[in-house]
């Protein structure tokens, strides 16, 4: 980890700890394991990202994984979408404090957000896979990929999604949770389209 990234993550952790006392950004019990539970969990997506192109994180909340990935990849433009005004205010403050000029915060519902065609879309603990695929279909560019960390129900969600969608699926084991899987999805299209 570069010194710049380490410094940005230290800034993030201090800010998150302060803000979490006022608004629920992460579960209070998660603060003790913030590095493993949230930061390492977010950073493990880095090698799965395409080499270039605009990225977005939907339902960013505390900025996991989008803000953390933006800190690790300052050359890539990141759009963070969060409808909760308090959480969006945290994202704005964290972006400023971390000196991330590559991040745009959208304080809006996903359905009313306008984004450029994306090379990569992330979402963590936001919605079932069938709903995430609707968002991916709308926002991803032609060769775009979706990265969705999923828990122990990943295979059931994938089975359900395959009833209405065609997609290329890559499964990657989570380095931080043996019961979790990271789904890297591409070539996303509705079945019959």
């Amino acid at each position: 980890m570069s010194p710049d990234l380490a410094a940005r993550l230290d800034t993030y952790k201090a800010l998150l700890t302060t803000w979490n006392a006022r608004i629920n950004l992460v579960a209070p019990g998660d603060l003790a394991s913030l590095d493993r539970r949230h930061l390492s969990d977010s950073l493990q997506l880095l090698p799965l990202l395409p080499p270039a192109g605009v990225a977005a994180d939907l339902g960013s909340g505390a900025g996991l994984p989008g803000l953390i990935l933006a800190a690790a990849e300052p050359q890539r433009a990141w759009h963070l979408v969060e409808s909760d005004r308090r959480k969006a205010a945290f994202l704005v403050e964290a972006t400023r404090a971390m000196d991330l000029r590559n991040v745009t915060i959208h304080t809006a519902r996903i359905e009313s957000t306008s984004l450029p065609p994306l090379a990569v879309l992330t979402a963590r603990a936001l919605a079932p896979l069938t709903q995430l695929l609707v968002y991916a279909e709308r926002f991803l560019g032609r060769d775009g990929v979706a990265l969705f960390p999923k828990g122990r129900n990943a295979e059931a969600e994938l089975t359900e999604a395959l009833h209405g969608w065609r997609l290329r699926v890559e499964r990657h084991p989570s380095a931080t949770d043996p019961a979790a899987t990271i789904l890297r999805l591409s070539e996303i299209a509705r079945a019959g389209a």
Side-chain angles (χ1 to χ4, degrees), residues 4 31-32 67 70 72 75 101 116 120 126 132 156 170 172:
D4 283 348
L31 289 175
L67 191 64
Q75 76 286 356
R101 296 184 177 108
V120 63
L126 175 67
L132 294 176
E170 298 172 46
H172 298 272

Side-chain angles (χ1 to χ4, degrees), residues 39-57:
L39 302 184
S40 295
D41 195 56
S42 296
L43 289 170
Q44 73 177 326
L45 300 181
L46 274 174
L48 303 178
L49 295 173
V54 178
D57 182 41

Side-chain angles (χ1 to χ4, degrees), residues 70-175:
E73 283 198 325
Q75 76 286 356
R76 185 190 302 263
W78 276 87
H79 294 265
L80 307 184
V81 181
E82 176 54 56
S83 63
D84 183 306
R85 290 188 184 282
R86 297 168 308 148
K87 292 177 181 178
F90 167 78
L91 293 172
V92 168
E93 178 59 19
T95 298
R96 185 203 60 74
M98 295 167 74
D99 193 27
L100 296 177
R101 296 184 177 108
N102 59 324
V103 175
T104 302
I105 310 298
H106 300 266
T107 307
R109 294 188 53 75
I110 295 166
E111 297 80 5
S112 62
T113 302
S114 181
L115 297 171
L118 301 173
V120 63
L121 177 70
T122 63
R124 181 176 180 242
L126 175 67
L129 185 57
T130 52
Q131 181 59 53
L132 294 176
L133 291 172
V134 172
Y135 299 144
E137 177 189 42
R138 176 175 170 208
F139 292 122
L140 284 178
R142 179 183 167 111
D143 296 320
V145 299
L147 292 176
F148 299 139
K150 287 291 183 180
R152 64 190 54 176
N153 294 327
E155 285 304 316
E157 286 191 46
L158 191 54
T159 299
E160 181 182 349
L162 290 174
H163 291 297
W165 295 88
R166 290 186 335 234
L167 49 137
R168 182 168 180 242
V169 179
E170 298 172 46
R171 295 169 183 84
H172 298 272
S174 170

